[in-house]
Amino acid sequence: RQQEDTQTAIDKMKIQISSTNHQLTSSAESLIISYKKLDVEEKKLNANLDTLKGNLDMTLVYKDQGMATDSDVNNLKINIENVENNIHSVERQKTNIKRQLNLMIGDDSEDSAEIIFSASRLENLLSLDADLDKDFNAALDNNYNIQLQAFEITAADKALSRAWEDGDDGAYNT
């Protein structure tokens, strides 16, 4: 009897550990995908910044020739400043993600985590066709709460069966 209870407890602990591992893995994957999206956004912003700086140079030449106004120059400078602020914001977000990954792996350094993730893998993740029935069934199979409840029901059934075998009908004798 004690051996069965011990095995049930071990099985329950295995599911709990598996659940924790799955949660950590999912969190890490989510952070990596977020980081890569920010990386793509940063590249777009840098390209936009280069374009705006080129436009500013051309507008300054046009201004010298009387073909552009101070307002045109100022608008471009404001746009450049906004894009630079957005780039700094993205950099801060990427640093925060690195810090979160470091915390997950137990590294207390500021932002040393290197994000290595191929662009083709990211594209594959983002372009997967959803098979709702398969996804639903997989979600049920991977639902640790359901597995834990099933083990608890099994343990309760075993305890009830043993009680019946021992002649205990569950009624309190007074």
Side-chain angles (χ1 to χ4, degrees), residues 31-42:
L31 287 171
I32 290 169
I33 290 171
S34 295
Y35 182 91
K36 287 301 176 179
K37 285 180 180 180
L38 288 171
D39 201 34
V40 168
E41 181 66 23
E42 184 179 24

Side-chain angles (χ1 to χ4, degrees), residues 70-104:
D70 286 333
S71 177
D72 296 329
V73 172
N74 289 334
N75 284 339
L76 281 170
K77 287 181 179 179
I78 289 170
N79 288 340
I80 288 171
E81 189 175 324
N82 286 337
V83 170
E84 287 173 339
N85 288 336
N86 288 339
I87 290 171
H88 294 304
S89 174
V90 167
E91 289 170 348
R92 283 190 302 274
Q93 291 175 48
K94 286 172 60 177
T95 298
N96 286 336
I97 288 174
K98 285 182 178 182
R99 287 178 181 154
Q100 290 176 14
L101 284 169
N102 282 337
L103 287 173
M104 289 180 84

Side-chain angles (χ1 to χ4, degrees), residues 21 54 80 93 137 166:
N21 287 338
I80 288 171
Q93 291 175 48
N137 289 332
D166 293 343

Side-chain angles (χ1 to χ4, degrees), residues 113-130:
E114 290 299 320
I115 310 296
I116 301 170
F117 196 75
S118 69
S120 62
R121 172 83 172 129
L122 180 62
E123 290 171 10
N124 288 342
L125 286 174
L126 297 176
S127 65
L128 290 176
D129 291 329

